[in-house]
Amino acid sequence: MAHYSIIFIWICSLRLMETNSRNIPENIKVQNVPIVQNIESFLENHSALSVIPLKKQSKSSPLWALRYMLGIKGENDYLLAQLADASDYPAKKDVSVDLLYTEMGGTGDILTYIEIDTLQDTQEGNAHVVSGGIGQGSIHIVLEGKQTERFNYNARFYGRKTLKLMTY
């Protein structure tokens, strides 16, 4: 069980080293990540939100590697933020995580592409945008894994600077 967590952390480290060669602004800030226990009740309490599912790919092994994607990564896009965590549970359970990227300080960064990798016991899971999105400066995604004892994720948010017009 711990073996898979070590492999996932190693893969995340490789991915991070790969992205560290790019120029990543030091003023990037990501809010604390609260946990969504149940997407249905979350949506009931936030009735004004519309949910957008992310595209999903999967690979089978002793654990399922799932990838969720949204948007198109451009040639000049850079990593705005990365969120990752690994959890082991004593019994199978449904897991739900709130992922938030918020542009802080009005730097003009616009989201263009999001990629979320998960490692879990089943291929059952989803990722939904509940606010913000591609072409905007913030996004709120609910990430779910169903009936799993292990749930590891690595979320990467890419974007680009936009030109700001000055008015006098």
Side-chain angles (χ1 to χ4, degrees):
M1 182 163 71
H3 186 294
Y4 295 112
S5 295
I6 291 169
I7 291 171
F8 184 76
I9 292 168
W10 177 76
I11 290 170
C12 292
S13 298
L14 286 177
R15 245 342 237 212
L16 187 59
M17 285 189 296
E18 171 187 307
T19 57
N20 276 344
S21 63
R22 298 184 188 130
N23 291 331
I24 301 172
E26 296 198 10
N27 64 342
I28 297 300
K29 293 182 180 141
V30 180
Q31 294 179 351
N32 291 332
V33 180
I35 302 294
V36 172
Q37 299 297 332
N38 182 310
I39 187 67
E40 288 82 17
S41 51
F42 176 83
L43 291 173
E44 285 175 13
N45 293 331
H46 300 85
S47 58
L49 298 177
S50 62
V51 175
I52 303 167
L54 279 68
K55 182 180 171 186
K56 178 179 173 182
Q57 294 177 341
S58 64
K59 292 181 194 173
S60 175
S61 66
L63 292 176
W64 284 89
L66 306 178
R67 175 170 284 172
Y68 300 94
M69 300 161 292
L70 183 65
I72 299 171
K73 187 175 172 191
E75 197 174 297
N76 295 322
D77 293 351
Y78 60 96
L79 185 65
L80 298 173
Q82 182 170 6
L83 302 171
D85 199 2
S87 300
D88 291 333
Y89 304 99
K92 292 188 181 291
K93 66 181 277 182
D94 290 348
V95 178
S96 184
V97 177
D98 246 4
L99 299 176
L100 301 172
Y101 166 77
T102 303
E103 175 192 331
M104 302 298 278
T107 60
D109 296 330
I110 299 297
L111 289 165
T112 57
Y113 179 69
I114 297 160
E115 189 173 82
I116 305 168
D117 291 319
T118 68
L119 193 60
Q120 58 194 61
D121 293 322
T122 69
Q123 67 176 343
E124 300 301 317
N126 295 298
H128 301 283
V129 175
V130 294
S131 68
I134 300 300
Q136 299 179 44
S138 65
I139 195 162
H140 177 178
I141 297 172
V142 175
L143 177 64
E144 301 174 301
K146 303 291 184 183
Q147 292 303 296
T148 186
E149 290 180 25
R150 289 167 284 283
F151 190 72
N152 305 336
Y153 68 88
N154 183 0
R156 293 168 304 282
F157 301 84
Y158 293 90
R160 68 174 75 105
K161 296 267 186 209
T162 58
L163 296 175
K164 293 184 179 181
L165 297 175
M166 303 283 290
T167 56
Y168 298 95

